[in-house]
Amino acid sequence: MSKVIRRAKINDDVIVVGSGLAGLACALALAPKPVTVITKTPTLAGGSSLWAQGGIAAAIGPGDSPEQHALDTLLAGAGLCEPQPVRELTRDSATNLQWLLELGTPFDRVADGTVALAKEAAHRLPRVAHAGGDSTGLYLMRTLIDRVAGTPSITVMADTFAGDLLVHREQIDGLTAYSAKSGWTTLRSPNVVLATGGIGACWMHTTNPLDACGDGLAVAARAGAVLADLEFMQFHPTALAIENEGASMPLLTEALRGAGALLLDESGSRFMLYEHAAAELAPRDVVARAIHQRTIVGQQVYLDLRPVFAAGLDGSFPQAVAVAEKAGFDPRREPLPVVAAAHYHMGGIRTDSKGRTSLPGLWACGEVATTGVHGANRLASNSLLEALTYARRVADDIRHSPMLTEAGLASTPMLPAVPRDADQRDIETVVLETRALMSKHVGIQRSGEGLQTAASRLLELERKLGSSSRPNDSERLRKQGLVRLWGEARNRLLVARLVTHAALRREESRGAHCRSDFPAVRPEWQHRKALTVAELAEAH
Ligand SMILES: Cc1cc2nc3c(=O)[nH]c(=O)nc-3n(C[C@H](O)[C@H](O)[C@H](O)COP(=O)(O)OP(=O)(O)OC[C@H]3O[C@@H](n4cnc5c(N)ncnc54)[C@H](O)[C@@H]3O)c2cc1C
């Protein structure tokens, strides 16, 4: 083992990587079993979960049923959902929401005290529970973080970047982790849960936090885990279009359209009326494509919130109003310019109904996993539900699994690592080009030619980024934060290459995956596709 790995912690704890909804719910559900939660953010508050707006779907309203919720989910999934997991997800939604209520999550209520439900695109009934209007993620995460603080079985390692998994005799044996304060550490554990969130920051326009660059997906891929559905990236139709030089774009929640907000073109006309029978409430991919078709030819598209104000419903959207005002708009008087942006990854590490991956000892839950419930297109607000449902199932499975004893001694950290002469500007240039390539060629509208161009250039960028055969940790690398910067760039590139490969392979258009050279759904492609890093290597 390299000298720069400073200490090896022999650990009986379950290691949970990620402190979003999936990670914290899993850690809490495992209590009193000892858990170490690792998160790369400076505090527990981070990830997309904190930013979630619309809410969490649950079939609890009058006239609703798990069957109807399942039907909407299957329809949105464009033929690629796994029906059984979908039925189980919607069947358990009320119980899982109740768990959050019992933890103290302050969901909004109607006058009779029952949980208020909003209607979102492609849901046939109001079904989305929310908190603080459109500040659901904030209230949810506050509740979970408070609970974690009061749970002595949970140890938190914040500001700590998970490097690579340790694998010994095909069994997980822990992982390497880096913090600027203490350098590299080896954490030994036969039970690791990846809850590292999504990959939106692999694209230039994204609603995700910029550190949502696919670390967990890349880490699992390098360890040999089976991934699936990688080509399916959902683009949110309505990110506020502001000049932001690659920073995250503020989201204008779908629930605004559920409350009456309208999409207008430059002439003030409701173009969605001509695109889909459900107009503004059409499935996300349909709306995103309709917007994209206009913005790529230089037109501006607007979201008009004035009907929401006229109906007196603006009080439910404090975040949307605040972000618009912060950007210099007055949503009471003027429509807001919007653009479609990378938002949610349906694909991920393939798991079974218990959240087990193909590697013994490795579980995954939340956006980093693919469970089959979203198919080719996620139904709005089903992702928080999925993250919560599977986080609790993973905890249940680990609690009932025998602790494997083989692990803990012999594995060596995965190599390679950051080159000694790494340069900040070079790494940042590689990152920006990766994101630009993904937006240009692996975005809402794809073609075989564009995907080939992206695949070749991404491979060149990977070579340009370079790597060393041993983990370096000089004073300079540490001071400049280059170990993590380089680690994220490497992960982003691998994820970009995997997604591009999967998109090139699927020669049809379905759900969120749209190919101009294969514009139709093809029945022979109505199945999910797995991918491993070994297959990617073989292809080049
Ligand atoms: C703006 C926005 C609004 C949304 N609104 C909704 C909504 O209303 N309803 C809905 O259902 N879904 C919504 N989504 C999607 C939903 O929020 C996410 O899918 C969900 O929160 C993902 O939860 P998670 O726990 O899997 O990941 P996250 O919440 O993203 O958490 C990931 C965690 O992993 C950590 N991490 C990542 N890599 C590493 C590493 N290498 N080392 C250590 N730690 C690491 C991060 O620090 C973070 O703590 C929204 C998403 C966005 C971006």
Side-chain angles (χ1 to χ4, degrees), residues 335-354:
L336 308 174
V338 290
V339 67
H343 184 58
Y344 181 82
H345 195 208
M346 276 73 74
I349 307 166
R350 196 175 73 187
T351 66
D352 67 11
S353 61
K354 295 174 175 167

Side-chain angles (χ1 to χ4, degrees), residues 18-19 21-22 39-40 48-49 53-55 162 197 215 344 367 381 383-384:
S19 66
L21 171 61
T39 185
K40 65 180 179 177
S48 294
S49 299
Q53 296 187 358
D215 289 336
Y344 181 82
E367 196 169 332
S381 290
S383 40
L384 290 180

Side-chain angles (χ1 to χ4, degrees), residues 33 191 356 363 396-404:
K33 202 173 174 56
N191 293 333
R356 291 181 185 179
W363 286 257
D396 211 38
D397 193 43
I398 293 177
R399 252 190 276 107
H400 293 105
S401 300
M403 200 80 167
L404 292 151

Side-chain angles (χ1 to χ4, degrees), residues 21-234:
L21 171 61
L24 294 189
C26 184
L28 285 167
L30 275 163
K33 202 173 174 56
V35 174
T36 296
V37 173
I38 298 175
T39 185
K40 65 180 179 177
T41 45
T43 64
L44 281 184
S48 294
S49 299
L50 191 67
W51 292 5
Q53 296 187 358
I56 177 163
I60 56 169
D64 203 1
S65 65
E67 291 72 30
Q68 294 193 77
H69 185 184
L71 197 59
D72 289 347
T73 304
L74 292 167
L75 278 174
L80 284 204
C81 294
E82 302 277 359
Q84 188 56 23
V86 168
R87 279 193 287 272
E88 289 168 6
L89 180 84
T90 61
R91 179 199 65 199
D92 296 344
S93 65
T95 316
N96 283 313
L97 189 73
Q98 185 58 32
W99 190 76
L100 288 181
L101 284 162
E102 281 164 17
L103 288 184
T105 313
F107 283 107
D108 297 332
R109 309 273 178 164
V110 289
D112 68 3
T114 54
V115 172
L117 297 172
K119 185 166 174 350
E120 289 192 356
H123 286 273
R124 73 190 66 198
L125 286 164
R127 186 181 284 148
V128 180
H130 43 87
D134 60 358
S135 306
T136 307
L138 188 67
Y139 284 81
L140 185 55
M141 289 299 289
R142 257 189 211 158
T143 309
L144 294 174
I145 290 168
D146 277 359
R147 285 299 176 135
V148 166
T151 306
S153 56
I154 301 177
T155 306
V156 174
M157 293 174 69
D159 231 341
T160 302
F161 178 71
D164 268 308
L165 288 163
L166 310 179
V167 185
H168 176 54
R169 295 192 189 147
E170 297 182 357
Q171 153 71 34
I172 290 298
D173 188 28
L175 49 77
T176 57
Y178 181 84
S179 86
K181 225 187 257 164
S182 36
W184 284 102
T185 308
T186 308
L187 297 172
R188 303 282 187 188
S189 170
N191 293 333
V192 174
V193 181
L194 291 176
T196 49
I199 66 168
C202 292
W203 283 262
M204 193 59 94
H205 290 145
T206 181
T207 63
N208 289 192
L210 285 193
D211 51 19
C213 55
D215 289 336
L217 191 57
V219 162
R222 279 194 295 271
V226 175
L227 320 171
D229 311 326
L230 296 185
E231 60 274 41
F232 295 108
M233 183 71 194
Q234 186 172 78

